[in-house]
């Protein structure tokens, strides 16, 4: 292993460990909240009503899949007569969140670090081509059309960062990469036809790599397991598989085993409902020939 590979591996492991530490703390706090709620004889609905939160949020907090805010811990401590137990956890929770923000100021950085040393990456995208599979021109067009507008320097920086990530596809040994992309994405010429046709040709080339499996989800499907939105399943080297979702410049790295298992099962159904790899490449060739 080269020095640079060792550094990447160390960064990825550190990022994973930090996320796991925060999630572990979230789970511990959630158990305390649940025990205190049950001792008080209250349902999740009743706690939510009294504190001004929905029952789904209370459930998520108790399961440890959401990080509790200071305001919640203070109010819950009073409502559940915790005697300062929940308030005492505020400092630990905020320290863990602050540490993550300092090390990963951008919402995408924790995922990007794990991606560098991944041995397997699985994408389901319903509105765009996965960033790892985009051409430079496509990436530039996407950032240029962002609202609110990005300044030219930021656009160039983000495009360069995206292109740099793609080197993992051709390194040896590279990760196994699978991707399911919606047919509508392949028919939408973002950036204009020249940019889009180059993207389609790029997908054809990637789909013929030994470590890349590309599938298309046809529009004419009466059943679709991916209606919950896009996600990524990523397996860091020597670590359990994690999930990743993002929307509107916010992201969630999922390490809770049951949550990851659900995503993995969903992804299996999505792949089964999509076109085969051969059918998918044939469709892309047809789309290129239609213009």
């Amino acid at each position: 292993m080269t020095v640079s590979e060792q550094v990447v591996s160390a960064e990825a492991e550190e990022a994973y460990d930090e996320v796991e530490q925060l999630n572990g703390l979230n789970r511990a706090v959630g158990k305390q909240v649940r025990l205190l709620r049950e001792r008080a004889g209250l349902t999740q609905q009743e706690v939510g009503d009294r504190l001004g939160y929905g029952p789904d949020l209370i459930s998520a907090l108790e399961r440890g899949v959401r990080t509790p805010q200071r305001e919640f811990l203070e109010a819950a401590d009073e409502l559940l007569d915790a005697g300062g137990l929940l308030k005492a956890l505020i400092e630990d929770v905020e320290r863990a969140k602050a540490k993550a923000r300092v090390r990963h100021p951008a919402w995408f950085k924790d995922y990007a670090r794990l991606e560098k040393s991944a041995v397997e990456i699985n994408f389901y995208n319903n509105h765009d081509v996965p960033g790892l599979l985009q051409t430079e021109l496509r990436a530039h067009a996407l950032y240029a059309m962002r609202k609110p507008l990005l300044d030219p320097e930021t656009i160039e920086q983000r495009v360069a960062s995206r292109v740099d990530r793609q080197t993992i596809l051709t390194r040896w040994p590279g990760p196994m990469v699978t991707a399911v992309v919606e047919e509508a994405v392949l028919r939408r010429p973002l950036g204009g036809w020249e940019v889009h046709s180059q993207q389609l040709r790029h997908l054809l080339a990637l789909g013929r790599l030994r470590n890349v499996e590309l599938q298309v989800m046809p529009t004419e499907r009466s059943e679709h397991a991916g209606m919950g939105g896009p996600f990524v399943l990523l397996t860091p080297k020597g670590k359990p598989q994690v999930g990743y979702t993002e929307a509107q410049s916010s992201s969630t790295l999922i390490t809770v085993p049951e949550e990851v298992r659900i995503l993995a099962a969903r992804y299996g159904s999505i792949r089964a409902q999509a076109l085969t790899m051969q059918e998918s490449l044939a469709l892309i060739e047809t789309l290129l020939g239609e213009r």
Side-chain angles (χ1 to χ4, degrees):
M1 181 182 293
T2 66
V3 173
S4 61
E5 287 174 332
Q6 290 173 346
V7 170
V8 166
S9 179
E11 287 182 344
E13 181 142 346
E14 189 173 15
Y16 183 94
D17 289 343
E18 286 176 356
V19 173
E20 260 303 292
Q21 288 169 13
L22 180 58
N23 285 339
L25 180 59
N26 289 343
R27 290 191 289 271
V29 173
K31 288 180 181 178
Q32 292 291 336
V33 172
R34 178 176 59 80
L35 289 172
L36 289 167
R37 174 181 61 77
E38 291 175 346
R39 188 188 68 175
L42 298 173
T43 65
Q44 291 177 344
Q45 180 73 55
E46 289 170 332
V47 170
D49 289 344
R50 297 188 191 188
L51 297 182
Y53 297 98
D56 290 343
L57 177 61
I58 303 300
S59 174
L61 289 168
E62 290 189 358
R63 289 182 287 120
V65 298
R66 289 284 297 271
T67 301
Q69 301 299 310
R70 169 185 286 270
E71 295 76 13
F72 171 82
L73 292 173
E74 289 176 340
D77 193 280
E78 297 292 335
L79 174 65
L80 303 177
D81 193 24
L85 176 62
L86 296 180
K87 290 180 180 178
L89 295 171
I90 292 174
E91 184 177 344
D92 291 333
V93 172
E94 293 193 337
R95 186 186 300 117
K97 289 194 296 183
K99 182 179 179 183
R101 289 189 185 118
V102 169
R103 296 196 60 83
H104 312 297
W107 52 271
F108 183 71
K109 278 192 173 181
D110 48 359
Y111 168 83
R113 285 186 174 189
L114 292 175
E115 185 184 71
K116 286 182 179 180
S117 67
V119 295
E120 182 180 340
I121 312 173
N122 306 297
F123 298 97
Y124 167 61
N125 277 51
N126 62 358
H127 66 283
D128 198 8
V129 176
L132 208 61
L133 309 183
Q134 290 175 9
T135 64
E136 184 172 349
L137 287 178
R138 170 87 167 204
H140 195 283
L142 291 172
Y143 283 124
M145 67 179 70
R146 283 282 182 91
K147 299 294 186 295
L149 297 175
L150 300 175
D151 62 83
E153 182 179 356
T154 299
I155 291 174
E156 295 305 322
Q157 289 174 347
R158 294 193 180 183
V159 171
S161 176
R162 179 162 293 183
V163 172
D164 181 65
R165 285 172 49 211
Q166 297 172 356
T167 59
I168 70 170
L169 293 175
T170 53
R171 76 182 184 208
W172 183 260
M176 283 300 303
V177 177
T178 72
V180 179
V181 179
E182 290 290 330
E183 179 183 349
V185 170
L186 304 180
R187 293 185 179 276
R188 184 181 299 124
L190 292 178
W193 176 250
E194 291 303 319
V195 172
H196 186 60
S197 61
Q198 184 189 85
Q199 177 65 70
L200 293 179
R201 287 192 293 270
H202 185 58
L203 289 176
L204 282 177
L206 290 175
R208 295 182 177 118
L209 294 177
R210 288 193 298 160
N211 63 317
V212 177
E213 297 180 356
L214 178 64
Q215 292 178 261
V216 176
M217 176 67 79
T219 301
E220 293 189 7
R221 278 289 187 264
S222 59
E223 292 189 13
H224 195 324
M227 297 304 292
F231 59 89
V232 182
L233 286 166
L234 182 148
T235 305
K237 187 174 183 179
K239 295 287 185 179
Q241 189 175 55
V242 301
Y244 175 78
T245 62
E246 64 178 49
Q248 300 299 331
S249 297
S250 63
S251 64
T252 302
L253 192 61
I254 304 165
T255 61
V256 178
E258 179 62 12
E259 300 289 330
V260 176
R261 184 196 67 78
I262 291 172
L263 284 181
R266 188 172 297 155
Y267 189 66
S269 296
I270 290 171
R271 292 199 72 186
Q273 293 166 344
L275 299 177
T276 66
M277 291 181 288
Q278 292 77 15
E279 291 169 339
S280 299
L281 295 181
L283 174 59
I284 295 174
E285 290 176 336
T286 299
L287 293 175
L288 277 168
E290 287 181 354
R291 189 71 177 187

